[in-house]
Amino acid sequence: TTLRVHFGMHGSMWINSPERKQKDGALAVLEIQLTNDLICFFDSTMDVRSTSDCEQKVKLMEELDVCSVNFNCSRVENELKKHGARMICDVLLDQTVLPGVGNIIKNESIFDGSFHP
């Protein structure tokens, strides 16, 4: 079993923080107490998934993940071409197409490629 944590736009994780609340007073949505450490998750969503399904998805997507050592430009190009009718900025942010890409990578790649989003 695997716990998936999604931080969204504002989520955060604190490890061994003396504070148990954020500045706005929000409490952690999940606290995990380990032997010597406390991990607090704020403004995040969680769900439980099958470990084997997660491992299979990671293996399937690793060539498309910009942070992976196995990133494959040719495969990314082929995936992008499948979305020809969509705006490039939307395709770049689609985590089912390019996992790991966020606004900074999207903006820099569009600028470097001289594309209109």
Side-chain angles (χ1 to χ4, degrees):
T1 304
T2 299
L3 177 66
R4 179 187 181 271
V5 178
H6 188 266
F7 292 102
M9 292 293 291
H10 305 288
S12 62
M13 175 182 69
W14 297 357
I15 301 173
N16 296 329
S17 173
E19 297 294 323
R20 300 287 287 270
K21 294 182 184 178
Q22 290 185 314
K23 291 178 185 175
D24 64 2
L27 296 171
V29 294
L30 175 68
E31 293 182 358
I32 299 175
Q33 179 67 58
L34 304 173
T35 303
N36 297 314
D37 299 302
L38 176 66
I39 305 170
C40 298
F41 296 89
F42 295 89
D43 199 11
S44 308
T45 59
M46 288 89 184
D47 61 287
V48 177
R49 297 183 175 185
S50 158
T51 300
S52 61
D53 289 349
C54 292
E55 289 171 343
Q56 185 178 17
K57 186 171 182 178
V58 167
K59 189 72 174 156
L60 180 69
M61 301 295 283
E62 71 181 342
E63 290 184 337
L64 301 174
D65 186 341
V66 296
C67 298
S68 172
V69 295
N70 296 319
F71 182 74
N72 183 322
C73 289
S74 298
R75 180 159 175 223
V76 168
E77 184 178 351
N78 289 336
E79 291 296 319
L80 291 175
K81 287 178 180 177
K82 294 177 184 177
H83 299 271
R86 294 175 63 193
M87 292 178 58
I88 188 69
C89 59
D90 292 337
V91 177
L92 291 174
L93 290 176
D94 185 338
Q95 298 298 294
T96 63
V97 179
L98 289 170
V101 172
N103 280 316
I104 293 172
I105 294 173
K106 175 202 70 165
N107 293 342
E108 293 296 326
S109 61
I110 287 174
F111 178 80
D112 286 347
S114 300
F115 292 105
H116 185 287

